[in-house]
Amino acid sequence: MSLIVQKFGGTSVGSIERIEQVADKVSRFRADGHGVVVVVSAMSGETNRLIGLAHEVQERPLPREMDVLVSTGEQVTTALLAMALDKRGVKAKSYNGSQVRILTDDAHTKARIREIDDARLHADLDAGYVIVVAGFQGVDEHGNITTLGRGGSDTTAVALAAALKADECQIYTDVDGVYTTDPRVVDGARRLEQITFEEMLEMASMGSKVLQIRAVEFAGKYNVPLRVLHSFQDGPGTLISLEEANEMETPTIAGIAFNRDEAKLTILGVPDMPGVASKILGPVGEANIEVDVIVQNVAEDNTTDFTFTVGRVDLPRAEEVLNRVAVELGAREVRADSKIAKVSVVGVGMRSHSGVASQMFSALADVGINIQMITTSEIKISVIIDEKFLELAVRSLHSSFELDKEPTDEAAA
Ligand code: ADP
Ligand code: ASP
Ligand code: MG
């Protein structure tokens, strides 16, 4: 008998009917003799609704109270699913994060899991219960409720699978696996049979929100076998694994990720001297604003233009900081642009194939898209472009790298 952790996302538990369907599915696994721990999200839209309520009361609610509020969504679905299982004659118990004791740090709204007390869960599993755990939430050492950041139920599931040494962690969602790019944006997107942790981590970090970044990090670190599947359609889904597929079949590019969550700031005409970068980015960091892509150009008149991106939500604060810095440094001007997007091609195959960057740039040039900034890592190339060309860029890259074709076609050719 194996132990499986199954996580069902918001749309999969978005109505009573869906919860009943999830209960049918879980019952089948139980009937096959598997031990099952289920992690559920809040009903789709619920977390956003709760955040909206908070903002009706206060512009900047205290993070502690925000966590008390948004964690309620997951508690509703755990109880409803446990009832639906009970109705089917399946013994089930629901728990919230603090009852399991998913211990986290105290970073409200983005807490990290430190430790999971698995004693109670093991006792229940041994007694034949299906355990239904509220995703996305934990408790700090003082007993305060914490949450793990948007999409955090994925991380709850992976962390539980690691703590319980489960045989597999299955992430059930509204798509039947991880695709070469978001299937809601590109019609020709293709489901991947498998992808490495490393690639999945880059895809998630670069904006593919099919899995929360920390869930992938966790799964890689503890080598948790992880699979993304459709909640209500049968199929193999996508396996996220340590190993690359055999080398012949390893495509250069696994997928394309993108996001619209960043904004660009430029400080122009800064007198060029040693330490300029730290004088500009130091105060930005002190304001707790994360910087992503950075480009600096030196002009012939010994001034420099310095451009960087920040999270779009941080733009107003970052602009304030930069205006102050501009006065101190005697810079000419500060420009802000929130209408940008980041597009990234990701693949471990890049390590052994050259020319990926030039192929990417010429595919974009062919459709007239101007690249504003570029950044690379060993298995990823990202560009910043005008937001209005995002979909065109993703589609062009998808066909240029032949992602719509099965990789074996290529190997056979
Ligand atoms: P859940 O509520 O189940 O956690 P999410 O909305 O968080 O579901 O994640 C699933 C969504 O991720 C899909 O509906 C899809 O639009 C999006 N997505 C983005 N990139 C990808 C990708 N590369 N492969 C599959 N889905 C993707
Ligand atoms: N309900 C939370 C969210 O919407 C957590 C999750 O669904 O994973 O972000
Ligand atoms: Mg999700």
Side-chain angles (χ1 to χ4, degrees):
M1 173 176 134
S2 60
L3 176 62
I4 305 172
V5 175
Q6 304 186 314
K7 178 254 170 178
F8 292 89
T11 42
S12 314
V13 293
S15 64
I16 295 298
E17 197 191 345
R18 295 257 167 99
I19 290 175
E20 301 271 11
Q21 278 178 276
V22 168
D24 284 335
K25 182 164 200 122
V26 173
S27 316
R28 286 198 294 275
F29 275 91
R30 191 69 198 101
D32 288 343
H34 299 295
V36 186
V37 175
V38 185
V39 173
V40 284
S41 290
M43 289 179 161
S44 57
E46 179 62 5
T47 308
N48 287 342
R49 189 185 73 86
L50 293 167
I51 293 172
L53 288 180
H55 287 129
E56 279 183 39
V57 177
Q58 212 177 9
E59 195 185 334
R60 280 196 209 161
L62 291 171
R64 181 188 183 280
E65 303 315 323
M66 202 61 166
D67 277 352
V68 173
L69 178 69
V70 296
S71 62
T72 58
E74 270 72 12
Q75 192 165 331
V76 171
T77 45
T78 54
L80 292 172
L81 180 59
M83 291 172 198
L85 287 165
D86 181 61
K87 185 165 85 178
R88 287 162 176 75
V90 177
K91 291 200 313 185
K93 268 190 198 176
S94 65
Y95 288 118
N96 66 28
S98 72
Q99 288 174 307
V100 172
R101 203 146 187 268
I102 297 179
L103 182 70
T104 70
D105 61 19
D106 59 5
H108 283 290
T109 75
K110 47 177 184 290
R112 280 179 181 269
I113 297 177
R114 281 194 179 151
E115 199 179 280
I116 294 183
D117 183 359
D118 55 0
R120 180 182 219 165
L121 301 183
H122 276 302
D124 284 338
L125 285 168
D126 290 345
Y129 284 95
V130 167
I131 304 166
V132 186
V133 179
F136 177 53
Q137 57 178 262
V139 64
D140 74 7
E141 58 183 346
H142 303 295
N144 299 299
I145 296 172
T146 54
T147 63
L148 310 177
R150 298 307 304 268
S153 300
D154 297 335
T155 303
T156 307
V158 175
L160 278 169
L164 295 166
K165 302 194 174 51
D167 296 283
E168 188 163 281
C169 181
Q170 303 174 336
I171 306 287
Y172 288 98
T173 182
D174 56 3
V175 276
D176 64 345
V178 177
Y179 275 64
T180 47
T181 191
D182 191 336
R184 296 189 200 288
V185 173
V186 176
D187 279 343
R190 188 175 48 79
R191 182 179 58 81
L192 298 163
E193 285 297 324
Q194 91 174 54
I195 182 169
T196 65
F197 284 121
E198 208 184 356
E199 288 169 325
M200 192 63 235
L201 190 60
E202 283 283 13
M203 289 281 282
S205 307
M206 294 302 118
S208 297
K209 288 175 184 156
V210 59
L211 284 173
Q212 202 201 27
I213 301 169
R214 280 189 195 159
V216 186
E217 256 168 23
F218 226 101
K221 187 164 166 199
Y222 296 98
N223 199 10
V224 176
L226 185 62
R227 201 179 276 279
V228 175
L229 301 131
H230 196 290
S231 297
F232 307 119
Q233 292 168 12
D234 289 333
T238 299
L239 178 70
I240 294 113
S241 66
L242 221 45
E243 304 290 317
E244 287 171 37
N246 91 46
E247 213 187 309
M248 281 292 287
E249 285 175 23
T250 299
T252 315
I253 300 301
I256 300 168
F258 53 86
N259 80 51
R260 298 179 177 89
D261 306 334
E262 290 184 29
K264 189 177 78 169
L265 278 161
T266 305
I267 177 165
L268 293 136
V270 187
D272 194 25
M273 59 187 148
V276 161
S278 84
K279 285 198 177 100
I280 295 171
L281 295 182
V284 176
E286 277 157 30
N288 266 324
I289 297 168
E290 256 181 68
V291 170
D292 184 25
V293 187
I294 304 171
V295 169
Q296 183 181 6
N297 290 319
V298 179
E300 276 178 10
D301 63 357
N302 274 336
T303 66
T304 177
D305 296 343
F306 196 92
T307 306
F308 56 95
T309 65
V310 296
R312 218 176 262 193
V313 287
D314 291 328
L315 181 64
R317 281 196 308 131
E319 201 177 349
E320 243 174 68
V321 173
L322 206 58
N323 279 326
R324 231 178 35 232
V325 171
V327 174
E328 279 162 25
L329 294 180
R332 198 171 64 239
E333 191 186 342
V334 169
R335 278 187 205 157
D337 181 1
S338 64
K339 302 236 172 328
I340 57 157
K342 185 163 78 175
V343 183
S344 310
V345 297
V346 174
V348 291
M350 248 181 243
R351 288 198 182 110
S352 49
H353 289 78
S354 55
V356 176
S358 58
Q359 186 176 343
M360 180 179 191
F361 305 153
S362 64
L364 294 173
D366 287 348
V367 286
I369 297 176
N370 185 37
I371 298 171
Q372 303 177 7
M373 298 167 90
I374 301 169
T375 168
T376 65
S377 79
E378 212 190 351
I379 64 160
K380 170 211 81 189
I381 303 166
S382 304
V383 295
I384 301 288
I385 58 168
D386 187 328
E387 184 185 23
K388 67 174 178 277
F389 298 125
L390 176 60
E391 292 188 12
L392 175 63
V394 177
R395 276 201 301 272
S396 308
L397 292 169
H398 199 267
S399 61
S400 169
F401 286 102
E402 302 190 331
L403 290 177
D404 34 5
K405 296 194 185 141
E406 292 294 328
T408 42
D409 293 349
E410 193 190 30

PDB file of all heavy atoms in Angstrom, residues 7-10 40-43 45-48 70 74 135-136 149-154, ligand 2:
ATOM      1  N   LYS A   7      -3.274  17.164  -3.969  1.00  0.00           N
ATOM      2  CA  LYS A   7      -3.693  18.549  -3.737  1.00  0.00           C
ATOM      3  C   LYS A   7      -4.699  18.973  -4.807  1.00  0.00           C
ATOM      4  O   LYS A   7      -4.472  18.748  -6.001  1.00  0.00           O
ATOM      5  CB  LYS A   7      -2.467  19.470  -3.757  1.00  0.00           C
ATOM      6  CG  LYS A   7      -2.808  20.939  -3.560  1.00  0.00           C
ATOM      7  CD  LYS A   7      -2.688  21.727  -4.850  1.00  0.00           C
ATOM      8  CE  LYS A   7      -3.248  23.125  -4.767  1.00  0.00           C
ATOM      9  NZ  LYS A   7      -3.080  23.869  -6.029  1.00  0.00           N
ATOM     10  N   PHE A   8      -5.807  19.547  -4.382  1.00  0.00           N
ATOM     11  CA  PHE A   8      -6.816  20.032  -5.322  1.00  0.00           C
ATOM     12  C   PHE A   8      -6.904  21.549  -5.240  1.00  0.00           C
ATOM     13  O   PHE A   8      -7.141  22.109  -4.168  1.00  0.00           O
ATOM     14  CB  PHE A   8      -8.178  19.390  -5.022  1.00  0.00           C
ATOM     15  CG  PHE A   8      -8.187  17.912  -5.330  1.00  0.00           C
ATOM     16  CD1 PHE A   8      -7.818  16.988  -4.361  1.00  0.00           C
ATOM     17  CD2 PHE A   8      -8.515  17.451  -6.600  1.00  0.00           C
ATOM     18  CE1 PHE A   8      -7.787  15.633  -4.650  1.00  0.00           C
ATOM     19  CE2 PHE A   8      -8.494  16.097  -6.894  1.00  0.00           C
ATOM     20  CZ  PHE A   8      -8.124  15.182  -5.919  1.00  0.00           C
ATOM     21  N   GLY A   9      -6.709  22.208  -6.383  1.00  0.00           N
ATOM     22  CA  GLY A   9      -6.692  23.672  -6.435  1.00  0.00           C
ATOM     23  C   GLY A   9      -8.088  24.272  -6.420  1.00  0.00           C
ATOM     24  O   GLY A   9      -9.098  23.552  -6.423  1.00  0.00           O
ATOM     25  N   GLY A  10      -8.125  25.594  -6.445  1.00  0.00           N
ATOM     26  CA  GLY A  10      -9.358  26.359  -6.267  1.00  0.00           C
ATOM     27  C   GLY A  10     -10.503  25.984  -7.196  1.00  0.00           C
ATOM     28  O   GLY A  10     -11.635  25.785  -6.742  1.00  0.00           O
ATOM     29  N   VAL A  40      -6.367  20.866   0.295  1.00  0.00           N
ATOM     30  CA  VAL A  40      -7.278  21.650  -0.543  1.00  0.00           C
ATOM     31  C   VAL A  40      -6.993  23.145  -0.463  1.00  0.00           C
ATOM     32  O   VAL A  40      -6.535  23.663   0.551  1.00  0.00           O
ATOM     33  CB  VAL A  40      -8.768  21.431  -0.174  1.00  0.00           C
ATOM     34  CG1 VAL A  40      -9.264  20.096  -0.697  1.00  0.00           C
ATOM     35  CG2 VAL A  40      -9.001  21.559   1.321  1.00  0.00           C
ATOM     36  N   SER A  41      -7.285  23.803  -1.594  1.00  0.00           N
ATOM     37  CA  SER A  41      -7.273  25.266  -1.652  1.00  0.00           C
ATOM     38  C   SER A  41      -8.653  25.767  -1.255  1.00  0.00           C
ATOM     39  O   SER A  41      -9.588  24.982  -1.124  1.00  0.00           O
ATOM     40  CB  SER A  41      -7.015  25.740  -3.080  1.00  0.00           C
ATOM     41  OG  SER A  41      -5.715  25.471  -3.480  1.00  0.00           O
ATOM     42  N   ALA A  42      -8.776  27.074  -1.165  1.00  0.00           N
ATOM     43  CA  ALA A  42     -10.089  27.691  -0.994  1.00  0.00           C
ATOM     44  C   ALA A  42     -10.841  27.584  -2.320  1.00  0.00           C
ATOM     45  O   ALA A  42     -10.232  27.403  -3.378  1.00  0.00           O
ATOM     46  CB  ALA A  42      -9.905  29.154  -0.633  1.00  0.00           C
ATOM     47  N   MET A  43     -12.167  27.701  -2.283  1.00  0.00           N
ATOM     48  CA  MET A  43     -12.941  27.723  -3.532  1.00  0.00           C
ATOM     49  C   MET A  43     -12.421  28.843  -4.426  1.00  0.00           C
ATOM     50  O   MET A  43     -12.056  29.912  -3.924  1.00  0.00           O
ATOM     51  CB  MET A  43     -14.425  27.986  -3.217  1.00  0.00           C
ATOM     52  CG  MET A  43     -15.118  26.816  -2.558  1.00  0.00           C
ATOM     53  SD  MET A  43     -16.841  27.279  -2.234  1.00  0.00           S
ATOM     54  CE  MET A  43     -17.582  25.682  -2.011  1.00  0.00           C
ATOM     55  N   GLY A  45     -11.668  32.005  -6.401  1.00  0.00           N
ATOM     56  CA  GLY A  45     -12.174  33.371  -6.214  1.00  0.00           C
ATOM     57  C   GLY A  45     -12.286  33.781  -4.758  1.00  0.00           C
ATOM     58  O   GLY A  45     -12.369  34.971  -4.441  1.00  0.00           O
ATOM     59  N   GLU A  46     -12.282  32.802  -3.843  1.00  0.00           N
ATOM     60  CA  GLU A  46     -12.533  33.119  -2.441  1.00  0.00           C
ATOM     61  C   GLU A  46     -11.393  33.944  -1.818  1.00  0.00           C
ATOM     62  O   GLU A  46     -11.641  34.918  -1.104  1.00  0.00           O
ATOM     63  CB  GLU A  46     -12.756  31.820  -1.646  1.00  0.00           C
ATOM     64  CG  GLU A  46     -13.013  31.986  -0.154  1.00  0.00           C
ATOM     65  CD  GLU A  46     -14.273  32.791   0.176  1.00  0.00           C
ATOM     66  OE1 GLU A  46     -15.033  33.152  -0.738  1.00  0.00           O
ATOM     67  OE2 GLU A  46     -14.478  33.073   1.385  1.00  0.00           O
ATOM     68  N   THR A  47     -10.157  33.557  -2.095  1.00  0.00           N
ATOM     69  CA  THR A  47      -9.035  34.291  -1.502  1.00  0.00           C
ATOM     70  C   THR A  47      -9.050  35.748  -1.981  1.00  0.00           C
ATOM     71  O   THR A  47      -8.878  36.674  -1.191  1.00  0.00           O
ATOM     72  CB  THR A  47      -7.701  33.603  -1.837  1.00  0.00           C
ATOM     73  OG1 THR A  47      -7.827  32.217  -1.479  1.00  0.00           O
ATOM     74  CG2 THR A  47      -6.540  34.202  -1.076  1.00  0.00           C
ATOM     75  N   ASN A  48      -9.310  35.936  -3.282  1.00  0.00           N
ATOM     76  CA  ASN A  48      -9.401  37.309  -3.804  1.00  0.00           C
ATOM     77  C   ASN A  48     -10.550  38.074  -3.158  1.00  0.00           C
ATOM     78  O   ASN A  48     -10.423  39.263  -2.861  1.00  0.00           O
ATOM     79  CB  ASN A  48      -9.622  37.301  -5.324  1.00  0.00           C
ATOM     80  CG  ASN A  48      -8.363  36.911  -6.064  1.00  0.00           C
ATOM     81  OD1 ASN A  48      -7.254  36.960  -5.511  1.00  0.00           O
ATOM     82  ND2 ASN A  48      -8.505  36.515  -7.308  1.00  0.00           N
ATOM     83  N   VAL A  70      -7.563  35.499   5.367  1.00  0.00           N
ATOM     84  CA  VAL A  70      -7.503  34.712   4.123  1.00  0.00           C
ATOM     85  C   VAL A  70      -7.372  33.210   4.383  1.00  0.00           C
ATOM     86  O   VAL A  70      -7.717  32.402   3.530  1.00  0.00           O
ATOM     87  CB  VAL A  70      -6.384  35.171   3.146  1.00  0.00           C
ATOM     88  CG1 VAL A  70      -6.649  36.585   2.672  1.00  0.00           C
ATOM     89  CG2 VAL A  70      -5.009  35.042   3.753  1.00  0.00           C
ATOM     90  N   GLU A  74      -9.650  28.159   3.116  1.00  0.00           N
ATOM     91  CA  GLU A  74      -9.222  26.756   3.050  1.00  0.00           C
ATOM     92  C   GLU A  74      -9.910  25.921   4.126  1.00  0.00           C
ATOM     93  O   GLU A  74     -10.087  24.711   3.963  1.00  0.00           O
ATOM     94  CB  GLU A  74      -7.701  26.676   3.205  1.00  0.00           C
ATOM     95  CG  GLU A  74      -6.906  26.753   1.898  1.00  0.00           C
ATOM     96  CD  GLU A  74      -6.873  28.110   1.220  1.00  0.00           C
ATOM     97  OE1 GLU A  74      -7.282  29.103   1.861  1.00  0.00           O
ATOM     98  OE2 GLU A  74      -6.434  28.193   0.055  1.00  0.00           O
ATOM     99  N   GLY A 135      -4.716  23.832   2.825  1.00  0.00           N
ATOM    100  CA  GLY A 135      -3.489  24.314   2.199  1.00  0.00           C
ATOM    101  C   GLY A 135      -3.205  25.744   2.575  1.00  0.00           C
ATOM    102  O   GLY A 135      -4.038  26.414   3.219  1.00  0.00           O
ATOM    103  N   PHE A 136      -2.000  26.221   2.223  1.00  0.00           N
ATOM    104  CA  PHE A 136      -1.704  27.671   2.218  1.00  0.00           C
ATOM    105  C   PHE A 136      -1.452  28.249   3.611  1.00  0.00           C
ATOM    106  O   PHE A 136      -1.055  29.388   3.742  1.00  0.00           O
ATOM    107  CB  PHE A 136      -2.892  28.353   1.518  1.00  0.00           C
ATOM    108  CG  PHE A 136      -2.935  29.844   1.401  1.00  0.00           C
ATOM    109  CD1 PHE A 136      -1.877  30.571   0.863  1.00  0.00           C
ATOM    110  CD2 PHE A 136      -4.086  30.552   1.788  1.00  0.00           C
ATOM    111  CE1 PHE A 136      -1.970  31.951   0.708  1.00  0.00           C
ATOM    112  CE2 PHE A 136      -4.186  31.930   1.641  1.00  0.00           C
ATOM    113  CZ  PHE A 136      -3.121  32.629   1.094  1.00  0.00           C
ATOM    114  N   GLY A 149       1.862  32.633   1.035  1.00  0.00           N
ATOM    115  CA  GLY A 149       1.965  33.330  -0.258  1.00  0.00           C
ATOM    116  C   GLY A 149       0.983  32.723  -1.248  1.00  0.00           C
ATOM    117  O   GLY A 149       0.608  31.561  -1.128  1.00  0.00           O
ATOM    118  N   ARG A 150       0.591  33.528  -2.254  1.00  0.00           N
ATOM    119  CA  ARG A 150      -0.413  33.076  -3.223  1.00  0.00           C
ATOM    120  C   ARG A 150       0.032  31.779  -3.890  1.00  0.00           C
ATOM    121  O   ARG A 150       1.207  31.617  -4.210  1.00  0.00           O
ATOM    122  CB  ARG A 150      -0.677  34.164  -4.286  1.00  0.00           C
ATOM    123  CG  ARG A 150      -1.232  35.474  -3.748  1.00  0.00           C
ATOM    124  CD  ARG A 150      -2.480  35.313  -2.883  1.00  0.00           C
ATOM    125  NE  ARG A 150      -3.598  34.621  -3.495  1.00  0.00           N
ATOM    126  CZ  ARG A 150      -4.581  35.207  -4.165  1.00  0.00           C
ATOM    127  NH1 ARG A 150      -4.584  36.522  -4.321  1.00  0.00           N
ATOM    128  NH2 ARG A 150      -5.582  34.496  -4.656  1.00  0.00           N
ATOM    129  N   GLY A 151      -0.918  30.893  -4.058  1.00  0.00           N
ATOM    130  CA  GLY A 151      -0.590  29.591  -4.651  1.00  0.00           C
ATOM    131  C   GLY A 151       0.057  28.638  -3.660  1.00  0.00           C
ATOM    132  O   GLY A 151       0.544  27.570  -4.025  1.00  0.00           O
ATOM    133  N   GLY A 152       0.032  29.014  -2.369  1.00  0.00           N
ATOM    134  CA  GLY A 152       0.790  28.277  -1.358  1.00  0.00           C
ATOM    135  C   GLY A 152       0.312  26.881  -1.009  1.00  0.00           C
ATOM    136  O   GLY A 152       1.040  26.119  -0.372  1.00  0.00           O
ATOM    137  N   SER A 153      -0.892  26.522  -1.467  1.00  0.00           N
ATOM    138  CA  SER A 153      -1.360  25.154  -1.171  1.00  0.00           C
ATOM    139  C   SER A 153      -0.472  24.106  -1.838  1.00  0.00           C
ATOM    140  O   SER A 153      -0.334  22.989  -1.332  1.00  0.00           O
ATOM    141  CB  SER A 153      -2.802  24.961  -1.633  1.00  0.00           C
ATOM    142  OG  SER A 153      -3.631  25.875  -0.977  1.00  0.00           O
ATOM    143  N   ASP A 154       0.123  24.468  -2.969  1.00  0.00           N
ATOM    144  CA  ASP A 154       1.063  23.529  -3.610  1.00  0.00           C
ATOM    145  C   ASP A 154       2.196  23.203  -2.642  1.00  0.00           C
ATOM    146  O   ASP A 154       2.630  22.047  -2.531  1.00  0.00           O
ATOM    147  CB  ASP A 154       1.699  24.163  -4.868  1.00  0.00           C
ATOM    148  CG  ASP A 154       0.694  24.478  -5.961  1.00  0.00           C
ATOM    149  OD1 ASP A 154      -0.355  23.829  -5.996  1.00  0.00           O
ATOM    150  OD2 ASP A 154       0.988  25.375  -6.775  1.00  0.00           O
TER     151      ASP A 154
HETATM  152  N1  ASP B   2      -6.113  30.052  -1.850  1.00  0.00           N
HETATM  153  C1  ASP B   2      -4.755  30.522  -1.984  1.00  0.00           C
HETATM  154  C2  ASP B   2      -4.609  31.410  -3.206  1.00  0.00           C
HETATM  155  O1  ASP B   2      -5.582  31.644  -3.899  1.00  0.00           O
HETATM  156  C3  ASP B   2      -3.748  29.398  -1.982  1.00  0.00           C
HETATM  157  C4  ASP B   2      -3.853  28.436  -3.137  1.00  0.00           C
HETATM  158  O2  ASP B   2      -4.873  28.379  -3.822  1.00  0.00           O
HETATM  159  O3  ASP B   2      -2.878  27.695  -3.358  1.00  0.00           O
HETATM  160  O4  ASP B   2      -3.545  31.897  -3.459  1.00  0.00           O
END
